[in-house]
Amino acid sequence: MDTAFDFIKPEFLHLLFFQQKNLVIYPYVDLKNLRGLEVFTIGYNLIDLESTALYDLKEVILNDSYSDIHTPNFYLIYNLDKKKAKDLLELKDVHCILNVNQNITNLLSESNNHYIFYNKKTDKFLNYDFSNVDLKFEQILISLADNIEILRDNLQNIKITANQLYIELNKNPDSINLSKILKNYDEDEFPKILEFTKNYYNITLPEDILTKRKRFYKPPEKIIDFSGEFDIITNHNKKLREEFIQSLHEYQDKHVNKSNLELSELYSPQLLYNYLRKHHWKEGIPKDFLEEWIKMNQTKYELQENDYIEFEEILTKLKIPQKIITELISGTIDSKSKKTNTKIFNQRNVAKDSSEKGKIPSVSDFAKFKKWILKELDAIEKNL
């Protein structure tokens, strides 16, 4: 079943936001799900248009009757047939998402490269090659946002930064201070901000803007921002938090050269986590660390059912693959079960041995029975 979250993907963020492209989506998708793409249309008013309710869609858009004096429009036009879609593909300098009910692959040749075709059934983009596109920044923006509102705020911040950049470029591009304007972003994220600025404002950037490295100087005190991940880990479950922090320091003792750490990183779990994510765990928390975490070897706490549920919730929010989450939890439960069975077996053997040692001899063997009685009396007297 389709949902609005089907479109909250790095590819759509790249195309609609950073590249400012138009989308042609087919076949039919419910409007409520299409509206999930609204988060990527920051800087526009998103206008829904139902194709069968308007006689001449093309004329409506060209006249821009919904126009706002300050904010341009981004049209979401749905319930289109192939003929109406073909007419709209002729439009230029318009931002829109078209949803067509029919297969329209034969219209590819008639569209300009500003319209990107997406087949919802096959999850394929027909005229855009992502094989050489770096989507790392897009992936970070989506993965660190706990919800749509946070993602929207983060994209709005990029828009605000781009506006500052646009103003400075118009004033005096030769003396622009990029390090000041882009102070909230890492150097390797600068090209994406510039890409958005160029495409949103439809301007040409100075050719040397990325080559003058002195403009990209960043203050050394800038903290790598993986705080969102750290908050996910530490805000759910007290026992899991305690184990994670102790395991973090244990990992640092075994695998990190302390001379590479600032004093604050040695004692602050959040700063230590930021350091590890940048230098040791660039692809995310490694599986072997997660295995040590769930074993609870540091705190010796025995996980309960609810703890496993919250552990799964944490890893899901961290975008850990479900297969790995299942392996971690099932492996720990199996190991715990084996230990429990061994303990019960040993307890039974001890009870059996005790039972055999304490067995009362038959009165028919009076000498043996007498010896047992005297031994028990001695034990009672000693205890008294």
Side-chain angles (χ1 to χ4, degrees):
M1 181 180 291
D2 294 341
T3 69
F5 295 101
D6 290 350
F7 296 105
I8 308 302
K9 295 180 179 180
E11 291 82 1
F12 292 103
L13 172 54
H14 174 77
L15 291 172
L16 290 174
F17 185 75
F18 289 108
Q19 286 289 309
Q20 295 288 300
K21 298 287 188 181
N22 291 336
L23 274 181
V24 180
I25 301 173
Y26 72 96
Y28 173 81
V29 178
D30 285 344
L31 175 62
K32 63 181 180 181
N33 298 330
L34 285 171
R35 284 199 67 89
L37 291 166
E38 181 183 12
V39 70
F40 301 139
T41 62
I42 297 296
Y44 296 91
N45 291 319
L46 187 67
I47 306 295
D48 299 343
L49 294 178
E50 209 282 326
S51 65
T52 61
L54 296 169
Y55 175 71
D56 193 338
L57 277 169
K58 194 173 180 180
E59 190 65 26
V60 169
I61 294 172
L62 287 174
N63 290 332
D64 213 13
S65 56
Y66 299 90
S67 180
D68 183 301
I69 191 170
H70 299 295
T71 309
N73 290 330
F74 203 114
Y75 293 98
L76 173 55
I77 308 171
Y78 58 102
N79 223 1
L80 284 162
D81 58 26
K82 188 183 296 186
K83 183 179 182 301
K84 289 183 178 179
K86 183 178 180 180
D87 290 339
L88 294 176
L89 288 174
E90 298 174 0
L91 293 174
K92 296 180 180 179
D93 301 322
V94 171
H95 291 280
C96 60
I97 299 168
L98 309 179
N99 180 220
V100 187
N101 299 334
Q102 302 164 290
N103 188 321
I104 53 168
T105 52
N106 62 328
L107 296 182
L108 268 172
S109 59
E110 300 184 28
S111 67
N112 57 58
N113 64 2
H114 199 53
Y115 287 85
I116 307 303
F117 284 59
Y118 173 70
N119 187 328
K120 178 65 176 67
K121 280 189 175 180
T122 62
D123 190 24
K124 300 291 184 184
F125 293 90
L126 306 188
N127 57 335
Y128 199 90
D129 184 8
F130 281 97
S131 59
N132 295 317
V133 178
D134 184 0
L135 296 175
K136 183 179 179 182
F137 188 39
E138 288 88 341
Q139 291 166 345
I140 289 173
L141 285 169
I142 291 176
S143 64
L144 293 185
D146 288 344
N147 52 55
I148 295 295
E149 286 69 30
I150 292 176
L151 179 57
R152 182 181 287 107
D153 289 344
N154 291 338
L155 296 182
Q156 184 63 50
N157 289 336
I158 292 176
K159 169 66 172 57
I160 293 170
T161 301
N163 186 55
Q164 295 172 344
L165 183 58
Y166 175 69
I167 292 172
E168 292 300 319
L169 284 169
N170 282 327
K171 282 183 179 178
N172 190 351
D174 292 330
S175 63
I176 187 170
N177 187 342
L178 284 179
S179 64
K180 180 179 179 181
I181 297 173
L182 305 180
K183 63 182 181 296
N184 293 323
Y185 301 95
D186 291 327
E187 183 176 330
D188 58 359
E189 297 167 352
F190 287 6
K192 286 288 184 178
I193 311 299
L194 295 174
E195 177 184 329
F196 171 78
T197 305
K198 179 185 72 172
N199 292 324
Y200 180 81
Y201 291 103
N202 194 24
I203 60 174
T204 301
L205 297 176
E207 292 183 2
D208 63 346
I209 196 166
L210 281 172
T211 58
K212 293 185 177 181
R213 306 311 293 171
K214 63 181 181 180
R215 293 177 174 173
F216 295 101
Y217 173 76
K218 299 298 294 301
E221 66 272 13
K222 169 100 166 51
I223 297 175
I224 304 303
D225 188 17
F226 287 105
S227 303
E229 288 186 10
F230 187 82
D231 289 341
I232 290 172
I233 294 166
T234 56
N235 289 345
H236 275 70
N237 181 297
K238 180 181 178 182
K239 296 298 182 181
L240 289 171
R241 176 177 68 242
E242 292 173 354
E243 180 68 22
F244 180 84
I245 291 174
Q246 291 189 36
S247 298
L248 208 60
H249 288 294
E250 178 74 6
Y251 183 92
Q252 174 255 307
D253 286 339
K254 292 181 178 179
H255 302 285
V256 181
N257 186 341
K258 291 185 178 180
S259 63
N260 294 331
L261 296 172
E262 299 289 341
L263 185 63
S264 58
E265 291 169 335
L266 278 170
Y267 298 102
S268 167
Q270 180 173 336
L271 297 183
L272 175 58
Y273 180 76
N274 279 325
Y275 176 86
L276 292 174
R277 284 291 281 112
K278 182 178 180 183
H279 299 283
H280 292 257
W281 299 346
K282 293 181 180 180
E283 302 303 322
I285 306 174
K287 185 180 178 182
D288 56 353
F289 181 89
L290 296 175
E291 288 174 342
E292 288 302 311
W293 179 15
I294 196 174
K295 287 178 183 176
M296 306 298 286
N297 288 333
Q298 304 298 320
T299 59
K300 307 300 181 185
Y301 173 75
E302 187 171 335
L303 294 173
Q304 306 302 313
E305 181 179 356
N306 187 61
D307 298 316
Y308 285 114
I309 293 173
E310 293 188 337
F311 183 80
E312 181 174 5
E313 290 175 355
I314 292 170
L315 297 196
T316 299
K317 288 187 176 181
L318 293 175
K319 307 299 181 184
I320 304 297
Q322 185 59 47
K323 181 181 178 183
I324 292 178
I325 298 175
T326 303
E327 289 174 357
L328 289 169
I329 294 176
S330 61
T332 305
I333 292 176
D334 289 345
S335 175
K336 180 180 175 182
S337 178
K338 288 178 182 177
K339 288 180 181 179
T340 302
N341 290 339
T342 301
K343 183 178 180 181
I344 292 172
F345 177 80
N346 291 336
Q347 288 174 342
R348 286 175 177 171
N349 284 341
V350 169
K352 182 179 178 182
D353 292 341
S354 299
S355 176
E356 289 176 353
K357 288 178 182 178
K359 189 176 181 180
I360 302 174
S362 175
V363 181
S364 59
D365 187 351
F366 187 75
K368 191 174 182 180
F369 179 75
K370 178 181 177 182
K371 184 178 179 182
W372 179 84
I373 286 289
L374 292 174
K375 185 178 180 181
E376 291 298 311
L377 290 173
D378 286 341
I380 293 171
E381 185 178 357
K382 188 179 294 184
N383 289 334
L384 290 174

